[in-house]
Amino acid sequence: MGDCNALRAEVLQGPVTVRVAGTGWKDYGSGIFTNCDSKVNHAVLLVGFSQEGNWIVKNSWGPDWGEQGYIQLWKFNNCEVCANGGARPLSVLIQIQ
């Protein structure tokens, strides 16, 4: 497992792309998603975390999916968010320069 604390510090500076285990996400509607497996198969934009520590993720499936295009991942079963570290999206890097 990766360093979730380092990833939390990174996302405080702005969105971070991460690879996740997205199996089972297609039926997500709202609330805290807790049914993660460990098969990393999807890339998303990590945008923050709630006061409770749950991850807030923007998916690429459009605003009709999930919570207007977002999913909340339970902090203790986070679909491998922390396992692979993260990377700044290219558009953010260009804007900073």
Side-chain angles (χ1 to χ4, degrees), residues 24-38:
W25 284 25
K26 69 180 177 87
D27 296 325
Y28 173 76
S30 64
I32 309 299
F33 187 80
T34 60
N35 193 24
C36 297
D37 64 15
S38 59

Side-chain angles (χ1 to χ4, degrees), residues 5-86:
N5 291 328
L7 193 55
R8 285 184 195 283
E10 185 73 18
V11 80
L12 285 173
Q13 304 302 313
V16 177
T17 55
V18 292
R19 295 182 300 153
V20 295
T23 304
W25 284 25
K26 69 180 177 87
D27 296 325
Y28 173 76
S30 64
I32 309 299
F33 187 80
T34 60
N35 193 24
C36 297
D37 64 15
S38 59
K39 182 181 177 188
V40 175
N41 59 5
H42 190 48
V44 294
L45 190 63
L46 181 63
V47 298
F49 49 91
S50 68
Q51 289 181 328
E52 296 81 19
N54 300 310
W55 295 105
I56 301 170
V57 174
K58 182 176 183 183
N59 202 347
S60 59
W61 297 340
D64 294 333
W65 174 84
E67 296 179 341
Q68 298 180 342
Y70 293 80
I71 186 170
Q72 296 182 65
L73 302 177
W74 189 40
K75 62 183 173 185
F76 295 118
N77 185 5
N78 56 36
C79 298
E80 303 296 318
V81 165
C82 302
N84 301 296

